[in-house]
Amino acid sequence: MELRKIGKLMFLIFVVICGTSPVFSMNSASQNVNIEVPETNAISSRYGTEGSSVINLGYISPDDTETAFNDLKVKGLSNNNAQLWVKACGDFVGQKTSQKISLSNLKFDVAGSSDKTNFSEGYVRMMNGGNSDDDLTLNLYLKVPYGTAPDTYTTTIYLTSVLDTLEPA
């Protein structure tokens, strides 16, 4: 008799354990997860091996000879087809003398291209397809005219990316 009671008790414990254990009672549900990725349009740029945001071309002799610089890297970060555009804010202006070097003395080309383009105060298209994972090298060319006074001359250049259907303002 005692054995029967132990058997019933064990059976009752087994039923309770099986009924409450998540291993033996499985329910599942699924849920779809949706996200929307907006169209993005961005670029990054850096100069030289350290990635400086200042382009320091160093000493250039005022000998009316064009000097080439090719360390400006531009990377398109857009997830849609974009165009890369450039412009400058104006002539190079001396910090001490206020003398100017005409913006027409500054040109650029994209590495692999043989066509040099003058910078201007309005945007000029640099290239199409600014959504590449590769860096694009922008070569700069500057000519300092004879008689230019010793000084540090500066201007600002702007690099911008716009979607293929737009033009920069």
Side-chain angles (χ1 to χ4, degrees), residues 9-86:
L9 181 61
M10 287 183 62
F11 178 74
L12 182 61
I13 291 173
F14 177 77
V15 169
V16 169
I17 290 174
C18 289
T20 60
S21 174
V23 173
F24 296 104
S25 85
M26 295 183 93
N27 291 319
S28 69
S30 65
Q31 186 70 40
N32 291 334
V33 178
N34 296 325
I35 63 166
E36 290 186 37
V37 176
E39 189 170 62
T40 59
N41 186 21
I43 60 171
S44 69
S45 65
R46 69 181 193 286
Y47 181 73
T49 56
E50 283 88 43
S52 176
S53 62
V54 175
I55 301 172
N56 185 355
L57 301 180
Y59 293 99
I60 302 175
S61 295
D63 60 4
D64 215 31
T65 301
E66 192 173 77
T67 305
F69 305 91
N70 57 5
D71 282 337
L72 179 57
K73 307 287 189 221
V74 181
K75 183 177 220 162
L77 303 171
S78 303
N79 66 358
N80 203 336
N81 199 24
Q83 299 173 359
L84 298 176
W85 296 69
V86 296

Side-chain angles (χ1 to χ4, degrees), residues 150-166:
D151 202 345
T152 299
Y153 294 83
T154 60
T155 191
T156 302
I157 62 171
Y158 298 91
L159 307 163
T160 192
S161 173
V162 296
L163 298 176
D164 266 344
T165 58
L166 304 172

Side-chain angles (χ1 to χ4, degrees), residues 87 123 160 162 167-169:
K87 79 173 186 174
Y123 279 103
T160 192
V162 296
E167 285 195 24

